[in-house]
Amino acid sequence: MIDYQAVIDRILAEVRNLDCRGRVADYIPALAEVDPNHSAIAVDMLDGRSFRAGDADVPFSIQSISKVFTLAMVFPEIGEELWKSVGREPSGNPFNSLVQLENEHGIPRNPFINAGALVVTDRLISMYPRPKEAMLDFVRSLAGNDDIYFDSRVATSEREHADRNMSLAYFMKSFGNIHNDVERLIDVYCHQCSIAMSCADVARSFRLFANRGVNPADGRRVLTESQSKRLGAVMSTCGFYDESGDFAYRVGLPGKSGVGGGIAAYIPGKLSVAVWSPGLNSYGNSLAGIEMLERFTTDIRRSIF
Ligand code: GLN
C-alpha cells in the first residue's frame, strides 16, 4: 500500500532543494509580489482520504486553471455544438497568441488558450444573468469551501493589463464568435483569473473529473461520463499550451496550469492532485510544479498511460 503522505513529503523536500525556481509572473504587480518560495502539494483520493504537504492551505491566484471550471459549466449546456466555435487541437503557440486566429476565421484552436477561454466565458455570460456569482458558486460547491473569493486586487490589475485579451476578444467578435459586449467579457474573464484557492481547494475541486463528472462533495452529476472523458482528453492535449506534449511525456496525467504557479491534475477513478510553486518556465507553467508531478507519478507508478 502506498504511503501517500510520505511520498508527497519527500517530493516537496527534494524539489525545494533543487535549483528550479523559474520566474514569477510579472505582468501584474499583484502576481510579481508573490513569494517565490511557496510550495505545496495536495492529494485527494476518491475513497475520501486526503494528504497535504507544504503551504497547501495558502490561497493563490488560480489564473488559467479557471478555464477548466468555466468549460465544465458551459460544455454540458451547449454540448457538442460548442466545438463549432472553439477547436480541440493543441495550438503549438503561447497561451496568449493571436497568430492563428486570422487564418482560422476567429475560431480558437482550443478552450485553454486565452482566445478559446474567452469564447467559453462569452457563452457563460449568455447563460447566466450573474456569471461571476455563478462561477464562484460552482467552484465553491466543488471544493466544499464557501470562503473561496475573487482577489479584487488581482482582478483590477488584470483589467488594467488586458490589452492583448481585449484584442483577442474584439478580433473574434469581428468574425461573429463573441456574442456579448467585450468590456463585460473582459471584466468577467479577469475575475475568473483572480479566483483565489489553496492547493487543498484545487485538489478537492478536481475530484469532479477523477470521479467522472459527479461532484463527490454532494453527489450531483455535473458532466456526463462522456463529457468528463472529453474534457479530460482536451486537458491532456492542450492543458499546458505548447508544453502539453512534454507534460504528457513527463507526468502522464490530464491537467491544467495557471500563471499563478498552480497545476491541477488527476487519475480517473482514483485521485486528484494539485501542486503550487510560483516560479514559471518560458511556457508559463510552474517549473517546480511539473517536477513535483513527474516525481509523483513516477513514485506511485500510476499515470493514464
Ligand atoms: N490572466 C492570464 C491571462 O489572461 C492567465 C494566463 C494563464 O494563466 N496562462 O493572460
Side-chain angles (χ1 to χ4, degrees):
M1 180 125 154
I2 298 167
D3 183 345
Y4 283 93
Q5 190 61 51
V7 168
I8 64 173
D9 284 340
R10 187 179 60 244
I11 291 172
L12 201 72
E14 282 170 4
V15 172
R16 275 179 176 161
N17 281 333
L18 292 177
D19 188 23
C20 67
R21 293 256 166 256
R23 242 180 93 103
V24 175
D26 57 4
Y27 67 98
I28 53 172
L31 290 183
E33 287 161 14
V34 173
D35 178 359
N37 296 312
H38 281 300
S39 54
I41 311 178
V43 175
D44 269 56
M45 314 292 297
L46 286 184
D47 65 14
R49 290 176 298 156
S50 57
F51 306 95
R52 309 284 180 249
D55 308 315
D57 292 315
V58 178
F60 62 89
S61 188
I62 66 164
Q63 293 289 328
S64 286
I65 297 173
S66 68
K67 294 169 179 173
V68 181
F69 299 133
T70 49
L71 184 60
M73 294 174 80
V74 167
F75 187 31
E77 183 73 19
I78 301 184
E80 293 294 314
E81 280 286 299
L82 179 66
W83 307 118
K84 292 185 178 158
S85 320
V86 54
R88 45 174 199 257
E89 291 293 345
S91 73
N93 277 306
F95 61 83
N96 55 5
S97 174
L98 285 142
V99 298
Q100 279 162 343
L101 273 181
E102 173 137 45
N103 285 336
E104 299 182 1
H105 312 290
I107 312 282
R109 272 292 172 96
N110 68 66
F112 296 145
I113 52 173
N114 287 9
L118 286 163
V119 169
V120 171
T121 299
D122 177 70
R123 302 311 188 264
L124 188 89
I125 293 172
S126 302
M127 277 166 58
Y128 294 95
R130 295 165 66 84
K132 288 190 267 189
E133 287 76 1
M135 210 185 283
L136 210 48
D137 284 350
F138 184 70
V139 288
R140 285 174 171 174
S141 76
L142 295 184
N145 178 2
D146 286 342
D147 295 332
I148 292 171
Y149 60 99
F150 292 121
D151 183 331
S152 54
R153 196 163 155 251
V154 173
T156 305
S157 64
E158 290 280 350
R159 182 65 197 79
E160 285 164 0
H161 295 83
D163 299 330
R164 186 174 273 261
N165 287 325
M166 299 274 287
S167 312
L168 289 166
Y170 275 118
F171 196 56
M172 291 189 289
K173 192 160 184 158
S174 76
F175 287 97
N177 201 15
I178 293 294
H179 304 160
N180 293 281
D181 176 64
V182 168
E183 291 282 345
R184 175 155 164 69
L185 168 60
I186 296 299
D187 175 61
V188 176
Y189 176 79
C190 290
H191 275 82
Q192 78 178 67
C193 290
S194 82
I195 293 174
M197 292 169 78
S198 67
C199 253
D201 292 326
V202 173
R204 211 166 292 129
S205 62
F206 259 62
R207 286 188 311 170
L208 171 71
F209 308 109
N211 200 32
R212 301 189 165 96
V214 174
N215 178 6
D218 57 14
R220 196 167 59 92
R221 181 166 285 288
V222 176
L223 301 156
T224 66
E225 208 168 315
S226 159
Q227 286 165 343
S228 183
K229 179 194 85 175
R230 289 166 192 273
L231 221 148
V234 182
M235 279 192 243
S236 60
T237 51
C238 311
F240 298 84
Y241 319 112
D242 42 344
E243 198 181 15
S244 298
D246 201 54
F247 187 85
Y249 184 85
R250 292 180 60 191
V251 178
L253 297 182
K256 184 73 202 83
S257 62
V259 290
I263 301 177
Y266 67 97
I267 301 177
K270 190 161 183 71
L271 62 81
S272 55
V273 52
V275 295
W276 177 41
S277 169
L280 308 177
N281 63 21
S282 60
Y283 301 101
N285 299 321
S286 172
L287 191 63
I290 295 178
E291 184 65 37
M292 290 192 265
L293 287 172
E294 179 173 11
R295 288 169 187 243
F296 181 68
T297 52
T298 306
D299 273 25
I300 66 168
R301 301 180 61 213
R302 284 291 297 265
S303 78
I304 61 165
F305 300 111

